[in-house]
Amino acid sequence: MLHVWGGTTLNYKETHNKAGHLVIGGCDVVKLASQWGTPLYVFDEEEVVNSVNTFRDALSSLPDYEIIYAGKALLTLGIARFMANLGLSLDVVSGGELYMALTAGFPPEKIYFHGNNKTAAELDTALEVGIGRIVVDNLYELEFLSDLARKKGRSADIMLRIMPGVEAHTHSYIQTGQLDSKFGISVANNQAVDAIKLAASLPRINLRGLHCHIGSQIFELASYAKTIDVMMAIMANAKAAGIMLPELDLGGGLGIKYITGDQPASTQEFGKFLAEALHSAAAKYELEMPKIMVEPGRSLVGAAGTTIYRVGSIKENKGGRTYAAVDGGMGDNPRVALYQARYHAVVANKMGQSPEKTYTIVGKYCESGDVLINNIQLPRLEPGDLLAVFCTGAYNYTMASNYNAIPRLPIVTVYRGSSDLVVEREQYQDLIRLHRIPERWLKDGV
Ligand code: LLP
């Protein structure tokens, strides 16, 4: 069971200390909860470092490659800085993410700007700061960007996002490569090749390569081979038209193990598989191996996150389920309600005890769908116990909401026994910071 837990439990082969308390990053979780309060996101930085190193190893057989961290998985000022320190590039999808990255001192030339509807202001900033690559999603954006760059007297290094027509086996809400997706330029009816020709002809546009992303939380690798074949075929068509494309970005999507039954490919398998598929496609289409980019998000930070909750009400429905409610829920982890995501948890202060009862773990939000885990076997729970839900590092903090006016959680990073704040806990004052009462409503008799 160890392998489904957050990273540190794997690295130190130590899940708990003598007191029976869960340990993450060398920190006793019971102490973390009393120091920082609950609910709390814990970020295990050594786990991320290990994941990044594993990715580098896995891709090292490629002649040239770049790892671009997908910031949408988890981005704060501190995390942006941490990823920059690790030497990664960064994928941003909005002016807000770009602002965060630049404010953290992320080198602009290592930033890739994605998105299917970038605004003029966003593109303007990207050109202004000399962003690494703008990943252009559609023809409207392509011409618009060319115009904007001409007006500003700048050039844009771009990649074209292609919709390769491959359906990855994952939840339909996180599939993106299928034909008729909202993302990218379709391969159908020569649209991709026509777009490449247009891009190559437009002023102030330097077309560097192609981008694709077929989905997220993908377990089986076959869809990547299909995608590589489609993309390399397009590159060969471009070459035949005299347009050399030296870069191919394969997006992110590698899945992680949330629960015991999950069987994602490992990062090593992923790297080996990509290299083989790329070499055979390069041979088939008589192309030189392009520089390869990958954009992992979840597989770099997912397992590094653990959410610590305090258990409150415990309710046994006679003839039905036993519910244990925690002090967070769908506001800090909307993935269960959105994607039927499943998680594993332990009782952080009772690690020495065996599971003896089945619980459904729910949150404190006013929705029946506010369930974190359906039917999990745990030691007998009492109010005040601490529940640690594993693998919440990706798409939890970034997708959190203030539903029910519940403040968002802080993030602490743990490293070899010490913990530091990455994001402060939101306060009630923060919830109303932008609220205004129109003057007229303050007068009597409205
Ligand atoms: N590159 C592009 C262009 C993407 O759209 C994404 C994710 C990634 C890279 C990173 O994918 P990853 O390696 O993390 O799978 N909110 C959903 C996931 C949405 C993913 C959106 N795009 C979830 O919680 O499962």
Side-chain angles (χ1 to χ4, degrees):
M1 250 197 344
L2 271 183
H3 50 282
V4 296
W5 293 1
T8 305
T9 50
L10 259 180
N11 300 336
Y12 299 139
K13 305 266 185 293
E14 179 201 26
T15 59
H16 58 89
N17 55 20
K18 285 201 194 93
H21 297 169
L22 175 68
V23 174
I24 305 177
C27 294
D28 180 323
V29 166
V30 175
K31 288 192 187 141
L32 288 177
S34 60
Q35 183 177 356
W36 303 108
T38 60
L40 173 72
Y41 295 121
V42 176
F43 177 80
D44 177 357
E45 48 183 274
E46 212 151 39
E47 166 70 12
V48 179
V49 173
N50 290 342
S51 305
V52 170
N53 289 337
T54 310
F55 246 99
R56 288 205 171 108
D57 275 1
L59 298 175
S60 59
S61 76
L62 295 169
D64 197 6
Y65 72 91
E66 186 172 340
I67 302 175
I68 305 166
Y69 169 60
K72 68 208 83 171
L74 176 65
L75 199 67
T76 70
L77 275 192
I79 302 288
R81 187 53 175 253
F82 178 71
M83 296 300 179
N85 292 348
L86 289 178
L88 297 174
S89 300
L90 183 70
D91 138 3
V92 300
V93 287
S94 68
E97 285 188 353
L98 179 58
Y99 172 77
M100 225 180 255
L102 294 172
T103 309
F106 209 99
E109 67 280 6
K110 291 179 85 171
I111 300 179
Y112 285 64
F113 196 3
H114 292 74
N116 68 314
N117 189 21
K118 304 174 194 75
T119 63
E122 288 173 328
L123 290 172
D124 216 53
T125 310
L127 288 171
E128 202 69 54
V129 302
I131 207 107
R133 299 278 180 277
I134 296 174
V135 180
V136 173
D137 180 89
N138 52 65
L139 296 182
Y140 164 77
E141 182 178 294
L142 183 59
E143 304 209 33
F144 186 72
L145 178 62
S146 168
D147 243 28
L148 205 63
R150 198 170 35 77
K151 282 186 200 134
K152 291 183 81 72
R154 306 242 171 176
S155 315
D157 286 330
I158 72 151
M159 304 188 95
L160 278 182
R161 177 158 180 170
I162 306 297
M163 180 201 303
V166 174
E167 279 189 34
H169 292 247
T170 187
H171 194 283
S172 62
Y173 285 10
I174 48 179
Q175 272 182 343
T176 45
Q178 72 280 18
L179 280 183
D180 226 11
S181 148
K182 84 167 202 180
F183 296 104
I185 298 160
S186 173
V187 289
N189 309 314
N190 276 330
Q191 288 171 92
V193 178
D194 289 347
I196 291 169
K197 289 181 186 158
L198 175 63
S201 72
L202 284 174
R204 301 279 174 177
I205 295 285
N206 304 326
L207 176 61
R208 305 299 304 259
L210 302 183
H211 172 278
C212 57
H213 169 78
I214 53 175
S216 194
Q217 185 59 359
I218 297 170
F219 282 9
E220 52 104 33
L221 300 173
S223 317
Y224 284 102
K226 282 189 222 153
T227 306
I228 286 169
D229 189 78
V230 171
M231 297 301 285
M232 295 284 262
I234 300 169
M235 291 172 109
N237 280 337
K239 186 181 166 191
I243 304 165
M244 303 304 289
L245 299 171
E247 297 174 1
L248 174 59
D249 186 334
L250 295 170
L254 181 61
I256 63 165
K257 186 165 193 150
Y258 283 98
I259 54 164
T260 319
D262 287 345
Q263 290 185 317
S266 70
T267 305
Q268 287 88 346
E269 286 165 337
F270 177 70
K272 193 161 173 276
F273 188 90
L274 287 195
E276 280 169 14
L278 283 161
H279 278 115
S280 72
K284 178 173 165 190
Y285 297 110
E286 297 177 1
L287 287 171
E288 266 183 41
M289 182 71 90
K291 175 175 179 182
I292 299 301
M293 284 86 166
V294 289
E295 297 171 345
R298 189 190 318 263
S299 51
L300 293 187
V301 295
T306 308
T307 311
I308 315 299
Y309 301 100
R310 182 86 58 189
V311 175
S313 333
I314 299 169
K315 180 168 69 179
E316 231 172 296
N317 283 344
K318 291 227 163 67
R321 294 198 263 181
T322 300
Y323 286 95
V326 296
D327 51 0
M330 67 187 295
D332 59 80
N333 186 354
R335 298 195 65 259
V336 182
L338 266 174
Y339 318 114
Q340 293 83 47
R342 297 180 63 195
Y343 288 89
H344 181 62
V346 296
V347 186
N349 56 313
K350 292 181 173 171
M351 295 297 290
Q353 298 181 24
S354 311
E356 43 172 295
K357 201 171 160 52
T358 304
Y359 292 93
T360 288
I361 307 296
V362 295
K364 64 184 268 105
Y365 293 77
C366 282
E367 295 261 350
S368 298
D370 174 28
V371 175
L372 286 172
I373 303 178
N374 267 302
N375 299 332
I376 180 168
Q377 285 270 322
L378 294 172
R380 194 159 290 275
L381 285 173
E382 291 152 300
D385 280 342
L386 291 171
L387 194 81
V389 176
F390 293 114
C391 296
T392 57
Y395 306 109
N396 272 227
Y397 171 77
T398 48
M399 293 178 72
S401 79
N402 283 128
Y403 183 47
N404 292 167
I406 293 173
R408 274 174 294 189
L409 281 52
I411 304 179
V412 295
T413 183
V414 288
Y415 179 70
R416 300 195 174 174
S418 62
S419 60
D420 294 284
L421 213 48
V422 175
V423 176
E424 284 185 39
R425 185 180 298 285
E426 231 171 14
Q427 302 299 322
Y428 289 151
Q429 303 89 283
D430 297 318
L431 298 177
I432 58 166
R433 192 169 57 84
L434 303 173
H435 294 193
R436 300 289 179 268
I437 304 178
E439 203 54 35
R440 288 182 293 108
W441 296 355
L442 291 169
K443 293 183 194 136
D444 289 342
V446 177

